[in-house]
Amino acid sequence: MTMRVSPLIAAALVFVASCCQAANTTASNTASPTAVVPNEHCALPDIRPGIRSESVPGIADDFLLAQDRDSFGKLFGLPSTAPQVCSPPDKVCGLGCCNPDEQCCTNVRNASKYCAKNCSNQVGVAVTTYHNDNYRSGSNPKETILTPSNVNEVQFGKRLTLPVTGYVYAQPLYVPGVKINGNAHNVVYVVTEHDQVYAFDANSGQKLWQKSFIGTIGNRLIQPVTSGDVNCSDLIPEIGITSTPVIDLASNEIYLVAKTKETVGQSTTFYQRMHVLDLSTGLEYFKDGYFGAPIYAKTPGTGTGNQNGYLIFDPRIQHQRSALALSNGSVIVSWASHCDEGDYHGYLMTFDKNLLSPTGVYVTTPNAYEGGLWASGAGPAVDSNNNVYVATGNGYFDVNVGGIDYGDSILRLTFAKNPGVADYFTPWDQAMLNSNDTDVASGGVMLLPDQPGAKYPHLLVQVGKEGTIDLVNRDNMGHFNPGGDTQIVQTLPSAIGGVWGAPAMWNDNLYFGGVYAPMVAFHYDPVAQQIQPQATSATPESFGYPGPTASISSNGVNNGIVWIIQTDTYQGGRAVLRAYDANNLTNELYNSTQNQQRDQAGGAVKFAVPTVADGLAFVGAQNEVDVYGLLN
């Protein structure tokens, strides 16, 4: 039999082909991206047994039989198709069996089934996105196990090493109580530059599943991108999944972007693809043709690299460094560059979380150059009204003279209708920042907790390479003032070392990790709505490039601990996990060199951020994730 295309897919192909050919005459820098529907040249197929396969190279039938599963299962992570059977008196519960004395419970977060003596039992704290929440606070205020009194060399240390293939630049994510093969597991999810995704039991270290996006399909060889491919050694030796994914507990899925190169004969093509995997199985659900499809955009603009007045997204040169975000039914993804190579621009795109169809694209410098969105791995911040906040990197700025290019700025973006800038702040010295490679976008944006009734109910804080702390009114960001940044709520020029990371906040304290300086805490006065100009405490250690980004654990306003991964040894040395008293950073509670034989972490990678939840601390490193916790 020859492979057939269903009428629905055929109609979609015709529709998209016509869309791709349509000329967009809008003179704006915002547009809806043109989407590419997967075909045999541009998408990983859905090859689950018994499911129609529209585009599997080398498969001559339009259905895959169960016996075909083994030849593809390793690459695509296929689940068992056998119906669940339980031996009496056990009873079926979702994908597993409950003992006679157990109830079949429903997880209210994601409708998954699990067995328990009491369905009212509470699960632990999930970390589903970079720095814990969409405000990017970096704080877990529900940590009841780890305290300043038991985080020490005697009681606390390394419990597990989770081996993976590839460097772990992304922050590990954590979900407790995930039902896998009939058992509940506290799961840590890890992605690597070797285009791999792993799910491990965080307590035992058992590998629960693994998903790979590389391999050979027919005559196509799919591999990670090399540093040489992008002419940049920022990430070595390979580039696959760099950014922190995002987890949707409501649907029990994890979203991520993978970069690959695909070779057929002598021809090599570069791709970036959006993927979504089931948290329990690692299975990728191709709900429609966009799943696993290449990310593509065509927007009007006369900037560098334009083709006849349009910018075409280049998956080779655009670097998907910033963490993903999830808000209002959309997955939010942003891009910058590798080492400022090529005609890149800052891109931010949104995708429907259910269909993964593109719903919007914004380009920061459509008529100029650069303006990347990278933030050293920090993700776009999103407020309670679904406004998106990002900082842009070096690039041309001309908004003050009627242009639409936003280099070295902090933006508030809205995607309510057409995506675009709703408000912005640009430092007075933008031209100098641009010419000296002192870009704003090395640091992520953090939103302060909302303060209803205050003079400024909605604030944000941001620091870039200059080390200037800017406190900005999100409702009126101030635009550009060439005479100085007096129009914003507060600015503390060069208050700290330059930041390659993100701030964190707990109990009215702001934590910043600048380069060639200690980690410092500044007090925020919620009544005056000002940051005290002098640091209230600092770590005994200073840190080289790239400086640390803090995560905080606490039980409400008590037992605050600041956690960092020291990574200034990334060019050949080991990472160091450090913990400090959050009320006084001069008091170091623990570090992983105190008992080096027992606690040594893996090789350091830049911009690593620790994840702390349910009594465990996770440290991403070279080819491993290290798990720390109480030893007894």
Side-chain angles (χ1 to χ4, degrees), residues 35-338:
V36 174
V37 168
N39 55 44
E40 64 181 7
H41 301 295
C42 66
L44 295 177
D46 181 357
I47 55 174
R48 282 173 288 160
I51 303 299
R52 185 178 300 273
S53 173
E54 304 293 351
S55 54
V56 185
I59 301 299
D61 202 343
D62 62 352
F63 282 88
L64 289 175
L65 303 178
Q67 57 261 37
D68 296 320
R69 179 180 185 273
D70 290 341
S71 61
F72 294 92
K74 183 176 180 181
L75 183 61
F76 289 94
L78 303 180
S80 171
T81 57
Q84 181 63 46
V85 177
C86 300
S87 300
D90 292 354
K91 52 193 174 186
V92 175
C93 183
L95 297 177
C97 300
C98 290
N99 296 325
D101 61 342
E102 292 180 321
Q103 301 177 39
C104 182
C105 307
T106 301
N107 189 325
V108 296
R109 298 176 311 185
N110 54 34
S112 63
K113 301 293 186 181
Y114 67 98
C115 302
K117 297 287 183 66
N118 183 353
C119 287
S120 64
N121 288 343
Q122 297 297 309
V123 296
V125 175
V127 180
T128 62
T129 190
Y130 178 93
H131 245 189
N132 299 80
D133 51 59
N134 276 355
Y135 277 40
R136 308 304 182 188
S137 70
S139 175
N140 169 17
K142 297 181 180 180
E143 176 54 55
T144 60
I145 298 174
L146 300 176
T147 70
S149 63
N150 62 26
V151 174
N152 55 61
E153 178 189 355
V154 175
Q155 297 173 268
F156 181 88
K158 187 165 77 168
R159 295 175 48 164
L160 297 168
T161 294
L162 308 177
V164 299
T165 302
Y167 287 16
V168 181
Y169 282 90
Q171 181 178 354
L173 299 179
Y174 173 81
V175 180
V178 180
K179 197 72 170 181
I180 299 177
N181 294 327
N183 298 306
H185 296 267
N186 298 327
V187 184
V188 58
Y189 295 92
V190 179
V191 298
T192 80
E193 295 290 4
H194 199 61
D195 282 312
Q196 307 294 307
V197 187
Y198 297 85
F200 291 98
D201 184 294
N203 303 104
S204 70
Q206 176 190 2
K207 185 171 71 173
L208 301 167
W209 55 257
Q210 178 181 351
K211 174 78 171 184
S212 176
F213 298 113
I214 59 175
T216 301
I217 304 177
N219 64 345
R220 187 191 320 173
L221 175 63
I222 305 174
Q223 299 173 285
V225 176
T226 69
S227 303
D229 290 329
V230 296
N231 195 30
C232 173
S233 59
D234 268 358
L235 298 176
I236 55 171
E238 58 187 357
I239 303 160
I241 307 171
T242 305
S243 67
T244 302
V246 65
I247 289 174
D248 183 10
L249 293 177
S251 64
N252 207 44
E253 293 171 328
I254 183 170
Y255 297 84
L256 57 101
V257 172
K259 188 165 186 166
T260 58
K261 63 178 180 182
E262 305 184 10
T263 302
V264 178
Q266 300 300 313
S267 176
T268 297
T269 307
F270 295 85
Y271 292 101
Q272 293 189 43
R273 287 189 167 96
M274 175 77 77
H275 296 277
V276 57
L277 308 180
D278 182 88
L279 291 180
S280 297
T281 64
L283 173 69
E284 180 153 20
Y285 289 123
F286 289 81
K287 296 178 182 175
D288 76 0
Y290 288 101
F291 276 86
I295 293 171
Y296 175 86
K298 178 180 179 180
T299 57
T302 59
T304 54
N306 83 87
Q307 300 177 23
N308 300 317
Y310 288 91
L311 300 176
I312 308 297
F313 178 84
D314 187 332
R316 184 183 69 86
I317 67 170
Q318 296 291 160
H319 182 22
Q320 208 286 289
R321 185 66 189 91
S322 291
L324 276 58
L326 181 65
S327 178
N328 196 33
S330 293
V331 182
I332 303 166
V333 190
S334 54
W335 285 266
S337 70
H338 297 279

